[in-house]
Amino acid sequence: KARVAIVISGEGSNMAALLYASRLPGSVFEIVLVASNNPQAPGLALAEAEGVPTWSLSHKGVARDEFDEALHEALTAARPDAVALAGYMRLLTPAFVERWQGRLLNIHPSLLPNYRGLDTHQRALDAGDSHGGCSVHLVTEEVDAGEVLGQLPVAIRAGDTAESLAQRVRLAEHQLYPATLAAYVSRHQDAGWIERQVDAIAATFPEVL
Ligand code: GAR
């Protein structure tokens, strides 16, 4: 199984969705760490109750690069194949992103490339959009701009507020994130398997490749 670490700041409902999905029969990933910049995050307490290793460090009074270095070390010790940001509400330093690039995923509450950043639901309502939604994307240096791996639209209803829309988008996120993460880590494992076979053939028959 692919080893997945999750990074949260708050509620952790996406973390819970990923964790319970990982415990379904046939899951292709397991959760090896839940990390947070907020030692009081409710999601941490849930992870602990579920027997998942946790790590936390308050970001308050810690320089951003020092915090990211500490997070990097905690993640490295857990040897994850992928890191899933799930409601992690802090910007990451370019150095951190570079070290985890290609293995770092995020869930964002809009149909990217629409509404990067904050207040996504209010902005969709203000624009008169027919749908909000959520996206899982690879994290790159530019915020919410990496390759989109999966999306789920959510219809906007008459009378929706940012809160009511956010609540429904959250339900969609809980479906989208585990499915998209599973597809991503499977593709990578397949790619790794193919690479190893090619290496083995090249070693045995150097004249073939
Ligand atoms: C989710 O809706 C997620 O998409 C959003 O925060 C919420 C976290 O909820 N993330 C962002 O806005 C990232 N910029 P959760 O803690 O219950 O998973």
Side-chain angles (χ1 to χ4, degrees):
K1 284 190 187 187
R3 299 170 61 82
V4 173
I6 304 176
V7 189
I8 65 170
S9 291
E11 200 50 45
S13 71
N14 278 286
M15 179 276 294
L18 290 170
L19 173 61
Y20 294 127
S22 79
R23 290 179 172 174
L24 285 171
S27 170
V28 295
F29 63 86
E30 62 183 322
I31 308 303
V32 296
L33 181 71
V34 173
S36 182
N37 63 308
N38 171 12
Q40 312 309 328
L44 276 182
L46 173 65
E48 268 163 32
E50 290 290 357
V52 179
T54 61
W55 174 90
S56 70
L57 172 67
S58 171
H59 64 271
K60 290 187 188 141
V62 181
R64 195 180 290 277
D65 54 345
E66 270 175 48
F67 180 87
D68 281 7
E69 183 62 36
L71 176 62
H72 173 76
E73 279 171 22
L75 290 172
T76 302
R79 295 180 291 105
D81 299 301
V83 176
L85 305 181
Y88 182 62
M89 301 309 280
R90 302 203 18 107
L91 296 174
L92 291 162
T93 54
F96 180 93
V97 171
E98 195 186 323
R99 284 152 124 180
W100 292 95
Q101 202 141 15
R103 290 178 291 165
L104 188 57
L105 286 72
N106 182 42
I107 186 146
H108 181 76
S110 79
L111 295 173
L112 290 170
N114 292 341
Y115 314 127
R116 294 174 178 153
L118 299 175
D119 284 331
T120 53
H121 307 298
Q122 192 57 55
R123 286 153 73 199
L125 291 172
D126 291 348
D129 293 353
S130 65
H131 288 76
C134 47
S135 308
V136 172
H137 64 96
L138 287 175
V139 176
T140 54
E141 224 181 279
E142 201 185 333
V143 177
D144 301 330
E147 183 191 343
V148 171
L149 302 173
Q151 284 187 319
L152 208 47
V154 171
I156 292 178
R157 294 167 52 173
D160 256 335
T161 61
E163 290 69 35
S164 65
L165 179 57
Q167 228 174 2
R168 275 199 325 285
V169 168
R170 201 79 60 95
L171 293 177
E173 290 184 353
H174 298 166
Q175 302 297 318
L176 179 69
Y177 212 171
T180 309
L181 178 67
Y184 189 72
V185 296
S186 302
R187 249 199 290 150
H188 273 245
Q189 277 179 340
D190 293 348
W193 184 86
I194 290 166
E195 235 166 67
R196 287 193 296 280
Q197 303 314 306
V198 170
D199 287 350
I201 293 168
T204 318
F205 308 106
E207 69 283 3
V208 173
L209 294 169

